[in-house]
Every structure is written in C-alpha cells, then in structure tokens.
Amino acid sequence: MEPANDDDHRPNGSDHNHLPKRPKLSTSSLITDSQIREEFGHHQKGIARINNGSFGSCPASIIAAQKRWQLRFLKQPDDFFLNHLRKCILHSRTIIKDVINAEHVEEVSLVDNATTAAAIVLQHVGWAFAEGRFQKGDAVVMLHCAFQAVKKSIEAYVTRAGGSVIVVHLPFPLRSEREIVAEFRKALAKGKANGKKVRLAIIDHITSMPCVVIPVRDLVKICREEGVDQVFVDAAHAIGNVHVDVKEIGADFYVSNLHKWFFCPPSVAFLYCRKSPVSPDLHHPVVSHEYGNGLAIESAWIGTRDYSSQLVIPEVLEFINRFEGGIEGIRMRNHNAVIEMGQMLTNAWGTKLGCPPDMSPSMTMVGLPANLKILSNKDALNLRNRLRDQFGVEVPIHYQEIKELQDGDACVTGYARISHQNKRNCAESSLIGCY
C-alpha cells in the first residue's frame, strides 16, 4: 500500500481515539507489498477490478480462517452449538462495539447484510402503523438513491400498513454538502405538512450510485430539531471506508456491511440499535427459538446455517492491524489513491469528478467522455458489459440524466464509479486504455 498520509479527509471528521488499542508494530512487522499480493492472489488474473464497492475483497488468510471455523463446527456440531457458538459471536460483537464506539454490546447485532437490517427496522416501523401507534399518512423520508432493497422493504412493511413516503431528490453532480442539506430540509417540511409527522428518516452514509458521502451528523441533528421520531442510517459501504462513530452520529439505527471494506468474507453486517424503550420491540424477521431474548441474541441463532463469516471477525481485525495506522490508515490511503486515480482519468478525458474529493470515500464518480453517448441506463449497462468482455475491466457505470446545466459544466451523462482497496493492479491505466 502507499505510504500513510497524515491529512484527514473524513467528511464530518471527528476524534477516533475510541478505536481498539492495537499493539505497536515495528516496521518489519507491517504487511509488505508482496504479502498483500499473496493475500489477494486468488483474484482472477487479467481483470482490472475497480469495483470493491459491490462485493469487497476477502484476503486469503481470512478465507483460510473461515474454513477453520467451518471445520470446527462440522467436526462436532453439537458441542460447538451448545458450548461455543454464542460466546464466540459475542466476542465478535464486542470487537465491533469497540470499533464503532457503541455504548453497550447489547446495541450491536450481527446479521447477514444491510438488506436484513433494513427489514428489521422497517418491520418495526410497519408494526407501529398497523397497530395504530403511528397514524395513517405519517411519513418515512428517504433519499431518492436509496438502495433498491430498502425501497422494497418500505413497500413491503410501511406503505402497505398505511405509511407514506417522502423522497429527497439529491442533485448530481454535487458541489457541496449544502445542496444535500437544503433538499433534506424541504423533504422534512413536506412530511410534516397538514399536521402529519415524520416517523422515520432513512439516510445513506455513502450513497451507492452515484457515490457520495452524505453529511449524516448534520442530517441526524436536523431530524432531532424537526421532531423526527427515529433515524436509520443505511451505511452499507461505511465501515473501513469512512470513519464510523455511532455515538457521534447519533442515529437510532446504523447498519454497515463488514464484507465490503472491512475484509470479512460474504456475508455479514452489523446493526447498531441505540438502547431505548423501543429496543425490546425489534425482532429478526426469521423467527427461531431465541425470539423474545433481544435482537442481538435472536440474530445470533436463526437456525442451522454457516455462521463462520461472523466468527472470523477477530482474525479480520488482526489482519487490519498489520497495516500502518490500522483501519484509519487503510481508508485514508485508499481515499487518497482513488482521488489520484479519478483526477488522472478526468484530466485524460476532459471531464470532472461527480463531487468534491472530500465528499468521496474510497470510491469516486468519474465523468465519462460525452462522445460515448451514455443516454440511458441501458447504454450504461452495455458499456459496463463491453468493458468486462472486451477489455477485462470490471467497473460500474452510472447514467445521470441532465435536467439543468450549471455554469461551466460539460454535458456529461455517464460516470464510472471506481474503487480503491489495496494496491493490486494498475486498473486506472487499463481504464484509460479502453477509450
């Protein structure tokens, strides 16, 4: 990996002294470039994979650790289930509790992914509408670029129970956080019109497509000032990608996948639920014999399945701490590298990044040349397929309809979302060579 940079590019930056203490490593103990290449040597050769944001990158040593956990269960499943599984999952939850600065380990549950977490939160909200605790027509506010599974969960649990949905339409490309804040305030005002209430605000910490870091602390604070009942931060991309301090963010619910930027094998996520009177009403959508013992315990056993992706978290933290600066050092170097990659591409193509560098995490949106004529979502998908099939480049392509050009903006309707996680290849050079 590139040398550490002391500049802090955290949007809504904050102190990060809460991170778990790790042993001070001598220079000789730090992971080397050759060891990094070995850890990710299982990736398909000849592919410039610039899409860590979708599925993550699991190191070989963690894959080996996962196999050891799987075998430990299969050798004597009765003993493992009765005497070891719960305390091992508790150990993993305790590690995450420290990493995200939660107050209590009971606030941290391990679930399959962010989609499962959204179902837990929105099921809870849907029950409140169905049971009359929320009034018909009260609103849930979400960003227009919310993940499709979240939108479907709102449809499944909230709108069918009588709730309404207010959508925050964010502009793109973006020039500042102020544009986000202004549109969010408009949506809250709409949700409160005619005496109605906003019962839940769903805020992405990092939107997926297009990729932008959202000023979550500011938006959560606005929600508190405006009387929003509960705030759910969908931070699927966040942990290992931006700084995460759940106390500082202040949301009621916060979820992040651990298999995207935290090096876990798929699939595992944590769901933070701030301790409150509503905590006992949260339940896993898969009901097993632990129902009623608290969400964290319910989530730790949803029937016979492979729990190894949850159990391997201690080994993952050990892997992360082999890098200079640990998780903070990794994310800062990734951020710096992806911005450098993005600016090299925009200089070559005569375009711009989709948002300022300090609003990009370890991913950034790079404007594509207008002569590619990305004029629809179908065009974007066709280009993505062509890059993979003909050039060996794996990168998501985003179509952005232009409604109004700002001064100085070019007519760019296509963006490549590039990711950086470790130094595995010269993917940016490969992308330039495609055009």
Side-chain angles (χ1 to χ4, degrees):
M1 297 186 75
E2 291 77 1
N5 187 322
D6 290 332
D7 294 336
D8 190 349
H9 294 275
R10 279 198 311 272
N12 283 315
S14 64
D15 178 25
H16 48 79
N17 292 330
H18 69 267
L19 290 174
K21 292 182 179 180
R22 59 182 187 276
K24 290 186 178 180
L25 300 177
S26 65
T27 304
S28 60
S29 300
L30 294 172
I31 194 168
T32 65
D33 282 350
S34 63
Q35 289 171 331
I36 293 174
R37 286 192 291 271
E38 289 174 5
E39 288 283 8
F40 299 100
H42 54 279
H43 287 180
Q44 184 176 337
K45 302 297 187 289
I47 298 294
R49 185 167 175 261
I50 329 175
N51 187 27
N52 192 82
S54 285
F55 300 107
S57 299
C58 187
S61 60
I62 302 305
I63 295 172
Q66 181 183 32
K67 289 180 179 177
R68 290 194 296 270
W69 280 110
Q70 290 169 335
L71 285 173
R72 186 176 170 186
F73 168 73
L74 292 171
K75 284 178 180 177
Q76 221 300 33
D78 299 82
D79 176 66
F80 190 74
F81 166 65
L82 293 170
N83 298 318
H84 303 285
L85 178 62
R86 182 178 291 191
K87 67 180 181 182
C88 290
I89 289 181
L90 175 60
H91 181 41
S92 292
R93 289 170 47 218
T94 302
I95 288 173
I96 298 302
K97 173 250 182 192
D98 292 338
V99 170
I100 66 174
N101 198 29
E103 186 72 29
H104 307 284
V105 72
E106 291 80 8
E107 296 175 320
V108 177
S109 301
L110 295 179
V111 296
D112 281 351
N113 46 44
T115 302
T116 303
I120 291 168
V121 173
L122 290 165
Q123 174 184 253
H124 162 72
V125 174
W127 286 338
F129 277 104
E131 295 167 359
R133 287 177 282 127
F134 294 167
Q135 299 302 309
K136 304 292 185 182
D138 285 352
V140 170
V141 169
M142 70 171 185
L143 307 187
H144 83 279
C145 46
F147 195 58
Q148 188 66 17
V150 173
K151 295 178 180 179
K152 291 294 185 180
S153 289
I154 292 174
E155 179 184 334
Y157 294 114
V158 177
T159 55
R160 69 178 296 173
S164 64
V165 181
I166 306 294
V167 179
V168 184
H169 291 278
L170 299 182
F172 187 83
L174 277 161
R175 293 185 174 181
S176 75
E177 294 178 346
R178 291 191 298 274
E179 296 173 90
I180 297 172
V181 171
E183 293 302 317
F184 191 75
R185 286 189 181 277
K186 289 179 188 176
L188 291 186
K190 184 177 179 181
K192 294 168 63 179
N194 302 317
K196 298 296 183 180
K197 293 183 178 181
V198 177
R199 298 299 187 173
L200 179 72
I202 304 173
I203 305 169
D204 297 73
H205 198 158
I206 302 171
T207 57
S208 180
M209 286 290 264
C211 170
V212 175
V213 178
I214 302 296
V216 288
R217 281 189 306 169
D218 296 340
L219 299 192
V220 172
K221 182 180 178 182
I222 290 168
C223 286
R224 301 307 183 201
E225 293 169 351
E226 296 296 326
V228 176
D229 278 16
Q230 295 175 324
V231 182
F232 172 35
V233 175
D234 179 359
H237 288 274
I239 189 167
N241 201 348
V242 293
H243 182 63
V244 176
D245 183 328
V246 292
K247 286 183 189 174
E248 187 176 76
I249 292 166
D252 300 282
F253 314 108
Y254 187 102
V255 62
S256 189
N257 289 317
L258 295 165
H259 53 261
K260 287 185 181 287
W261 297 93
F262 199 73
F263 298 108
C264 282
S267 62
V268 59
F270 75 83
L271 173 60
Y272 162 82
C273 301
R274 188 171 64 171
K275 204 169 184 179
S276 74
V278 307
S279 299
D281 291 331
L282 294 163
H283 296 283
H284 198 284
V286 176
V287 177
S288 191
H289 63 251
E290 295 289 3
Y291 181 85
N293 291 328
L295 178 62
I297 302 302
E298 289 183 22
S299 301
W301 182 257
I302 57 170
T304 302
R305 63 183 294 275
D306 183 2
Y307 291 90
S308 60
S309 56
Q310 301 181 10
L311 300 172
V312 81
I313 288 171
E315 287 89 344
V316 170
L317 186 62
E318 289 179 9
F319 174 79
I320 287 170
N321 286 339
R322 294 171 64 193
F323 291 84
E324 185 174 358
I327 189 172
E328 290 294 312
I330 291 171
R331 71 161 193 83
M332 288 168 62
R333 289 188 290 276
N334 283 339
H335 168 83
N336 293 339
V338 83
I339 295 303
E340 181 181 353
M341 288 163 55
Q343 290 174 337
M344 183 178 70
L345 291 170
T346 56
N347 289 339
W349 296 337
T351 59
K352 295 181 180 180
L353 297 180
C355 65
D358 63 356
M359 295 179 69
S360 295
S362 301
M363 303 183 286
T364 195
M365 304 298 294
V366 182
L368 293 170
N371 60 8
L372 290 177
K373 296 182 179 179
I374 306 300
L375 303 176
S376 67
N377 290 321
K378 183 178 179 181
D379 290 340
L381 180 60
N382 288 340
L383 177 59
R384 179 175 184 174
N385 291 338
R386 185 182 179 194
L387 287 171
R388 179 193 304 115
D389 297 340
Q390 296 187 20
F391 297 96
V393 174
E394 187 64 68
V395 62
I397 304 297
H398 172 67
Y399 164 66
Q400 180 67 41
E401 180 183 1
I402 293 179
K403 295 184 178 178
E404 182 179 349
L405 278 177
Q406 301 184 42
D407 292 340
D409 282 348
C411 187
V412 175
T413 56
Y415 290 82
R417 189 192 76 182
I418 62 173
S419 301
H420 188 277
Q421 176 70 298
N422 298 310
K423 188 167 66 177
R424 294 193 304 273
N425 53 43
C426 297
E428 66 272 26
S429 299
S430 301
L431 196 52
I432 285 180
C434 297
Y435 298 106

PDB file of all heavy atoms in Angstrom, residues 20 88-101 105 108 239 262 311-318:
ATOM      1  N   PRO A  20     -10.129   0.297  18.937  1.00  0.00           N
ATOM      2  CA  PRO A  20      -9.472  -0.666  19.816  1.00  0.00           C
ATOM      3  C   PRO A  20      -7.964  -0.481  19.784  1.00  0.00           C
ATOM      4  O   PRO A  20      -7.371  -0.263  18.732  1.00  0.00           O
ATOM      5  CB  PRO A  20      -9.870  -2.020  19.197  1.00  0.00           C
ATOM      6  CG  PRO A  20     -11.059  -1.744  18.362  1.00  0.00           C
ATOM      7  CD  PRO A  20     -10.946  -0.342  17.902  1.00  0.00           C
ATOM      8  N   CYS A  88     -18.600 -17.077  21.108  1.00  0.00           N
ATOM      9  CA  CYS A  88     -17.728 -16.638  20.012  1.00  0.00           C
ATOM     10  C   CYS A  88     -18.365 -15.476  19.244  1.00  0.00           C
ATOM     11  O   CYS A  88     -17.674 -14.520  18.867  1.00  0.00           O
ATOM     12  CB  CYS A  88     -17.433 -17.800  19.076  1.00  0.00           C
ATOM     13  SG  CYS A  88     -16.355 -19.063  19.793  1.00  0.00           S
ATOM     14  N   ILE A  89     -19.664 -15.555  19.014  1.00  0.00           N
ATOM     15  CA  ILE A  89     -20.352 -14.443  18.357  1.00  0.00           C
ATOM     16  C   ILE A  89     -20.344 -13.214  19.255  1.00  0.00           C
ATOM     17  O   ILE A  89     -20.173 -12.080  18.794  1.00  0.00           O
ATOM     18  CB  ILE A  89     -21.783 -14.847  17.961  1.00  0.00           C
ATOM     19  CG1 ILE A  89     -21.734 -15.850  16.804  1.00  0.00           C
ATOM     20  CG2 ILE A  89     -22.607 -13.621  17.563  1.00  0.00           C
ATOM     21  CD1 ILE A  89     -23.085 -16.318  16.307  1.00  0.00           C
ATOM     22  N   LEU A  90     -20.491 -13.411  20.565  1.00  0.00           N
ATOM     23  CA  LEU A  90     -20.400 -12.293  21.497  1.00  0.00           C
ATOM     24  C   LEU A  90     -19.032 -11.612  21.409  1.00  0.00           C
ATOM     25  O   LEU A  90     -18.936 -10.387  21.452  1.00  0.00           O
ATOM     26  CB  LEU A  90     -20.658 -12.775  22.928  1.00  0.00           C
ATOM     27  CG  LEU A  90     -20.485 -11.718  24.041  1.00  0.00           C
ATOM     28  CD1 LEU A  90     -21.435 -10.539  23.831  1.00  0.00           C
ATOM     29  CD2 LEU A  90     -20.695 -12.352  25.413  1.00  0.00           C
ATOM     30  N   HIS A  91     -17.980 -12.408  21.265  1.00  0.00           N
ATOM     31  CA  HIS A  91     -16.638 -11.836  21.110  1.00  0.00           C
ATOM     32  C   HIS A  91     -16.562 -10.971  19.859  1.00  0.00           C
ATOM     33  O   HIS A  91     -16.021  -9.852  19.892  1.00  0.00           O
ATOM     34  CB  HIS A  91     -15.609 -12.959  21.051  1.00  0.00           C
ATOM     35  CG  HIS A  91     -14.194 -12.501  20.927  1.00  0.00           C
ATOM     36  ND1 HIS A  91     -13.686 -11.418  21.636  1.00  0.00           N
ATOM     37  CD2 HIS A  91     -13.163 -12.963  20.173  1.00  0.00           C
ATOM     38  CE1 HIS A  91     -12.413 -11.231  21.319  1.00  0.00           C
ATOM     39  NE2 HIS A  91     -12.077 -12.156  20.423  1.00  0.00           N
ATOM     40  N   SER A  92     -17.127 -11.453  18.752  1.00  0.00           N
ATOM     41  CA  SER A  92     -17.147 -10.668  17.515  1.00  0.00           C
ATOM     42  C   SER A  92     -17.944  -9.378  17.700  1.00  0.00           C
ATOM     43  O   SER A  92     -17.528  -8.300  17.257  1.00  0.00           O
ATOM     44  CB  SER A  92     -17.747 -11.494  16.373  1.00  0.00           C
ATOM     45  OG  SER A  92     -16.902 -12.556  16.015  1.00  0.00           O
ATOM     46  N   ARG A  93     -19.102  -9.475  18.366  1.00  0.00           N
ATOM     47  CA  ARG A  93     -19.918  -8.271  18.600  1.00  0.00           C
ATOM     48  C   ARG A  93     -19.176  -7.270  19.469  1.00  0.00           C
ATOM     49  O   ARG A  93     -19.276  -6.052  19.255  1.00  0.00           O
ATOM     50  CB  ARG A  93     -21.240  -8.672  19.262  1.00  0.00           C
ATOM     51  CG  ARG A  93     -22.202  -9.412  18.341  1.00  0.00           C
ATOM     52  CD  ARG A  93     -23.381 -10.003  19.112  1.00  0.00           C
ATOM     53  NE  ARG A  93     -23.968  -9.036  20.025  1.00  0.00           N
ATOM     54  CZ  ARG A  93     -24.430  -9.328  21.234  1.00  0.00           C
ATOM     55  NH1 ARG A  93     -24.370 -10.590  21.689  1.00  0.00           N
ATOM     56  NH2 ARG A  93     -24.954  -8.399  21.983  1.00  0.00           N
ATOM     57  N   THR A  94     -18.422  -7.757  20.437  1.00  0.00           N
ATOM     58  CA  THR A  94     -17.673  -6.867  21.321  1.00  0.00           C
ATOM     59  C   THR A  94     -16.601  -6.104  20.543  1.00  0.00           C
ATOM     60  O   THR A  94     -16.371  -4.907  20.773  1.00  0.00           O
ATOM     61  CB  THR A  94     -17.032  -7.660  22.472  1.00  0.00           C
ATOM     62  OG1 THR A  94     -18.060  -8.343  23.195  1.00  0.00           O
ATOM     63  CG2 THR A  94     -16.278  -6.748  23.421  1.00  0.00           C
ATOM     64  N   ILE A  95     -15.958  -6.788  19.607  1.00  0.00           N
ATOM     65  CA  ILE A  95     -14.962  -6.121  18.769  1.00  0.00           C
ATOM     66  C   ILE A  95     -15.612  -5.007  17.955  1.00  0.00           C
ATOM     67  O   ILE A  95     -15.112  -3.869  17.908  1.00  0.00           O
ATOM     68  CB  ILE A  95     -14.272  -7.138  17.841  1.00  0.00           C
ATOM     69  CG1 ILE A  95     -13.336  -8.033  18.651  1.00  0.00           C
ATOM     70  CG2 ILE A  95     -13.499  -6.434  16.722  1.00  0.00           C
ATOM     71  CD1 ILE A  95     -12.743  -9.182  17.859  1.00  0.00           C
ATOM     72  N   ILE A  96     -16.737  -5.296  17.329  1.00  0.00           N
ATOM     73  CA  ILE A  96     -17.423  -4.276  16.534  1.00  0.00           C
ATOM     74  C   ILE A  96     -17.905  -3.141  17.415  1.00  0.00           C
ATOM     75  O   ILE A  96     -17.815  -1.966  17.043  1.00  0.00           O
ATOM     76  CB  ILE A  96     -18.600  -4.899  15.752  1.00  0.00           C
ATOM     77  CG1 ILE A  96     -18.080  -5.949  14.764  1.00  0.00           C
ATOM     78  CG2 ILE A  96     -19.397  -3.830  15.029  1.00  0.00           C
ATOM     79  CD1 ILE A  96     -17.067  -5.420  13.763  1.00  0.00           C
ATOM     80  N   LYS A  97     -18.397  -3.465  18.602  1.00  0.00           N
ATOM     81  CA  LYS A  97     -18.829  -2.427  19.551  1.00  0.00           C
ATOM     82  C   LYS A  97     -17.709  -1.418  19.807  1.00  0.00           C
ATOM     83  O   LYS A  97     -17.924  -0.194  19.816  1.00  0.00           O
ATOM     84  CB  LYS A  97     -19.285  -3.092  20.850  1.00  0.00           C
ATOM     85  CG  LYS A  97     -19.615  -2.121  21.985  1.00  0.00           C
ATOM     86  CD  LYS A  97     -18.580  -2.234  23.071  1.00  0.00           C
ATOM     87  CE  LYS A  97     -18.881  -1.315  24.245  1.00  0.00           C
ATOM     88  NZ  LYS A  97     -17.741  -1.205  25.173  1.00  0.00           N
ATOM     89  N   ASP A  98     -16.482  -1.909  19.971  1.00  0.00           N
ATOM     90  CA  ASP A  98     -15.351  -1.019  20.216  1.00  0.00           C
ATOM     91  C   ASP A  98     -14.957  -0.245  18.967  1.00  0.00           C
ATOM     92  O   ASP A  98     -14.631   0.944  19.033  1.00  0.00           O
ATOM     93  CB  ASP A  98     -14.153  -1.819  20.731  1.00  0.00           C
ATOM     94  CG  ASP A  98     -14.369  -2.388  22.120  1.00  0.00           C
ATOM     95  OD1 ASP A  98     -15.225  -1.845  22.856  1.00  0.00           O
ATOM     96  OD2 ASP A  98     -13.709  -3.387  22.469  1.00  0.00           O
ATOM     97  N   VAL A  99     -15.005  -0.896  17.811  1.00  0.00           N
ATOM     98  CA  VAL A  99     -14.620  -0.235  16.564  1.00  0.00           C
ATOM     99  C   VAL A  99     -15.549   0.935  16.249  1.00  0.00           C
ATOM    100  O   VAL A  99     -15.105   1.994  15.793  1.00  0.00           O
ATOM    101  CB  VAL A  99     -14.610  -1.245  15.394  1.00  0.00           C
ATOM    102  CG1 VAL A  99     -14.451  -0.530  14.056  1.00  0.00           C
ATOM    103  CG2 VAL A  99     -13.487  -2.258  15.573  1.00  0.00           C
ATOM    104  N   ILE A 100     -16.851   0.772  16.506  1.00  0.00           N
ATOM    105  CA  ILE A 100     -17.821   1.817  16.148  1.00  0.00           C
ATOM    106  C   ILE A 100     -18.163   2.729  17.321  1.00  0.00           C
ATOM    107  O   ILE A 100     -18.963   3.645  17.175  1.00  0.00           O
ATOM    108  CB  ILE A 100     -19.107   1.202  15.569  1.00  0.00           C
ATOM    109  CG1 ILE A 100     -19.868   0.396  16.624  1.00  0.00           C
ATOM    110  CG2 ILE A 100     -18.788   0.363  14.341  1.00  0.00           C
ATOM    111  CD1 ILE A 100     -21.219  -0.123  16.162  1.00  0.00           C
ATOM    112  N   ASN A 101     -17.568   2.458  18.495  1.00  0.00           N
ATOM    113  CA  ASN A 101     -17.778   3.282  19.686  1.00  0.00           C
ATOM    114  C   ASN A 101     -19.223   3.239  20.188  1.00  0.00           C
ATOM    115  O   ASN A 101     -19.796   4.262  20.573  1.00  0.00           O
ATOM    116  CB  ASN A 101     -17.358   4.739  19.441  1.00  0.00           C
ATOM    117  CG  ASN A 101     -17.158   5.511  20.743  1.00  0.00           C
ATOM    118  OD1 ASN A 101     -16.808   4.934  21.768  1.00  0.00           O
ATOM    119  ND2 ASN A 101     -17.382   6.818  20.697  1.00  0.00           N
ATOM    120  N   VAL A 105     -22.600  -3.543  24.339  1.00  0.00           N
ATOM    121  CA  VAL A 105     -22.518  -4.618  23.358  1.00  0.00           C
ATOM    122  C   VAL A 105     -23.913  -5.093  22.968  1.00  0.00           C
ATOM    123  O   VAL A 105     -24.124  -5.610  21.864  1.00  0.00           O
ATOM    124  CB  VAL A 105     -21.651  -5.781  23.903  1.00  0.00           C
ATOM    125  CG1 VAL A 105     -22.383  -6.540  25.020  1.00  0.00           C
ATOM    126  CG2 VAL A 105     -21.254  -6.740  22.781  1.00  0.00           C
ATOM    127  N   VAL A 108     -25.332  -4.010  19.600  1.00  0.00           N
ATOM    128  CA  VAL A 108     -24.720  -4.498  18.354  1.00  0.00           C
ATOM    129  C   VAL A 108     -25.213  -5.905  18.046  1.00  0.00           C
ATOM    130  O   VAL A 108     -25.023  -6.830  18.839  1.00  0.00           O
ATOM    131  CB  VAL A 108     -23.182  -4.497  18.451  1.00  0.00           C
ATOM    132  CG1 VAL A 108     -22.563  -5.067  17.177  1.00  0.00           C
ATOM    133  CG2 VAL A 108     -22.669  -3.086  18.727  1.00  0.00           C
ATOM    134  N   ILE A 239     -18.138   1.099   7.038  1.00  0.00           N
ATOM    135  CA  ILE A 239     -17.057   0.690   7.931  1.00  0.00           C
ATOM    136  C   ILE A 239     -15.838   0.245   7.108  1.00  0.00           C
ATOM    137  O   ILE A 239     -15.936  -0.566   6.202  1.00  0.00           O
ATOM    138  CB  ILE A 239     -17.513  -0.413   8.909  1.00  0.00           C
ATOM    139  CG1 ILE A 239     -16.435  -0.651   9.976  1.00  0.00           C
ATOM    140  CG2 ILE A 239     -17.909  -1.683   8.188  1.00  0.00           C
ATOM    141  CD1 ILE A 239     -16.906  -1.487  11.149  1.00  0.00           C
ATOM    142  N   PHE A 262     -14.294  -4.046   5.071  1.00  0.00           N
ATOM    143  CA  PHE A 262     -13.710  -4.489   6.338  1.00  0.00           C
ATOM    144  C   PHE A 262     -13.078  -5.876   6.208  1.00  0.00           C
ATOM    145  O   PHE A 262     -12.704  -6.474   7.203  1.00  0.00           O
ATOM    146  CB  PHE A 262     -14.793  -4.489   7.423  1.00  0.00           C
ATOM    147  CG  PHE A 262     -14.266  -4.482   8.837  1.00  0.00           C
ATOM    148  CD1 PHE A 262     -13.692  -3.349   9.383  1.00  0.00           C
ATOM    149  CD2 PHE A 262     -14.359  -5.619   9.628  1.00  0.00           C
ATOM    150  CE1 PHE A 262     -13.224  -3.347  10.695  1.00  0.00           C
ATOM    151  CE2 PHE A 262     -13.890  -5.628  10.931  1.00  0.00           C
ATOM    152  CZ  PHE A 262     -13.316  -4.482  11.469  1.00  0.00           C
ATOM    153  N   LEU A 311     -17.941 -15.298  12.833  1.00  0.00           N
ATOM    154  CA  LEU A 311     -16.945 -15.754  13.796  1.00  0.00           C
ATOM    155  C   LEU A 311     -15.529 -15.319  13.443  1.00  0.00           C
ATOM    156  O   LEU A 311     -14.651 -15.281  14.314  1.00  0.00           O
ATOM    157  CB  LEU A 311     -17.003 -17.282  13.889  1.00  0.00           C
ATOM    158  CG  LEU A 311     -18.355 -17.849  14.351  1.00  0.00           C
ATOM    159  CD1 LEU A 311     -18.362 -19.361  14.205  1.00  0.00           C
ATOM    160  CD2 LEU A 311     -18.659 -17.448  15.771  1.00  0.00           C
ATOM    161  N   VAL A 312     -15.285 -14.989  12.199  1.00  0.00           N
ATOM    162  CA  VAL A 312     -13.932 -14.682  11.740  1.00  0.00           C
ATOM    163  C   VAL A 312     -13.537 -13.231  12.026  1.00  0.00           C
ATOM    164  O   VAL A 312     -12.397 -12.827  11.759  1.00  0.00           O
ATOM    165  CB  VAL A 312     -13.836 -15.002  10.222  1.00  0.00           C
ATOM    166  CG1 VAL A 312     -14.417 -13.875   9.369  1.00  0.00           C
ATOM    167  CG2 VAL A 312     -12.411 -15.306   9.819  1.00  0.00           C
ATOM    168  N   ILE A 313     -14.408 -12.433  12.600  1.00  0.00           N
ATOM    169  CA  ILE A 313     -14.141 -11.013  12.837  1.00  0.00           C
ATOM    170  C   ILE A 313     -12.866 -10.769  13.652  1.00  0.00           C
ATOM    171  O   ILE A 313     -12.093  -9.849  13.338  1.00  0.00           O
ATOM    172  CB  ILE A 313     -15.373 -10.337  13.471  1.00  0.00           C
ATOM    173  CG1 ILE A 313     -16.476 -10.200  12.408  1.00  0.00           C
ATOM    174  CG2 ILE A 313     -15.037  -8.973  14.077  1.00  0.00           C
ATOM    175  CD1 ILE A 313     -17.815  -9.744  12.939  1.00  0.00           C
ATOM    176  N   PRO A 314     -12.556 -11.555  14.704  1.00  0.00           N
ATOM    177  CA  PRO A 314     -11.288 -11.323  15.415  1.00  0.00           C
ATOM    178  C   PRO A 314     -10.066 -11.462  14.501  1.00  0.00           C
ATOM    179  O   PRO A 314      -9.124 -10.669  14.587  1.00  0.00           O
ATOM    180  CB  PRO A 314     -11.300 -12.392  16.509  1.00  0.00           C
ATOM    181  CG  PRO A 314     -12.740 -12.687  16.745  1.00  0.00           C
ATOM    182  CD  PRO A 314     -13.380 -12.577  15.392  1.00  0.00           C
ATOM    183  N   GLU A 315     -10.086 -12.455  13.620  1.00  0.00           N
ATOM    184  CA  GLU A 315      -8.964 -12.618  12.693  1.00  0.00           C
ATOM    185  C   GLU A 315      -8.898 -11.462  11.701  1.00  0.00           C
ATOM    186  O   GLU A 315      -7.808 -11.037  11.289  1.00  0.00           O
ATOM    187  CB  GLU A 315      -9.101 -13.943  11.928  1.00  0.00           C
ATOM    188  CG  GLU A 315      -8.816 -15.179  12.768  1.00  0.00           C
ATOM    189  CD  GLU A 315     -10.042 -15.735  13.474  1.00  0.00           C
ATOM    190  OE1 GLU A 315     -11.060 -15.012  13.582  1.00  0.00           O
ATOM    191  OE2 GLU A 315      -9.998 -16.890  13.926  1.00  0.00           O
ATOM    192  N   VAL A 316     -10.052 -10.948  11.312  1.00  0.00           N
ATOM    193  CA  VAL A 316     -10.079  -9.809  10.386  1.00  0.00           C
ATOM    194  C   VAL A 316      -9.425  -8.590  11.039  1.00  0.00           C
ATOM    195  O   VAL A 316      -8.642  -7.870  10.400  1.00  0.00           O
ATOM    196  CB  VAL A 316     -11.528  -9.492   9.954  1.00  0.00           C
ATOM    197  CG1 VAL A 316     -11.584  -8.171   9.185  1.00  0.00           C
ATOM    198  CG2 VAL A 316     -12.083 -10.628   9.106  1.00  0.00           C
ATOM    199  N   LEU A 317      -9.748  -8.349  12.305  1.00  0.00           N
ATOM    200  CA  LEU A 317      -9.138  -7.195  12.982  1.00  0.00           C
ATOM    201  C   LEU A 317      -7.621  -7.363  13.071  1.00  0.00           C
ATOM    202  O   LEU A 317      -6.870  -6.392  12.902  1.00  0.00           O
ATOM    203  CB  LEU A 317      -9.736  -7.021  14.370  1.00  0.00           C
ATOM    204  CG  LEU A 317      -9.282  -5.747  15.116  1.00  0.00           C
ATOM    205  CD1 LEU A 317      -9.708  -4.503  14.354  1.00  0.00           C
ATOM    206  CD2 LEU A 317      -9.823  -5.724  16.529  1.00  0.00           C
ATOM    207  N   GLU A 318      -7.159  -8.587  13.313  1.00  0.00           N
ATOM    208  CA  GLU A 318      -5.719  -8.834  13.333  1.00  0.00           C
ATOM    209  C   GLU A 318      -5.099  -8.516  11.974  1.00  0.00           C
ATOM    210  O   GLU A 318      -4.013  -7.927  11.892  1.00  0.00           O
ATOM    211  CB  GLU A 318      -5.434 -10.288  13.712  1.00  0.00           C
ATOM    212  CG  GLU A 318      -5.726 -10.627  15.173  1.00  0.00           C
ATOM    213  CD  GLU A 318      -5.454 -12.099  15.475  1.00  0.00           C
ATOM    214  OE1 GLU A 318      -4.892 -12.796  14.596  1.00  0.00           O
ATOM    215  OE2 GLU A 318      -5.817 -12.547  16.573  1.00  0.00           O
TER     216      GLU A 318
END
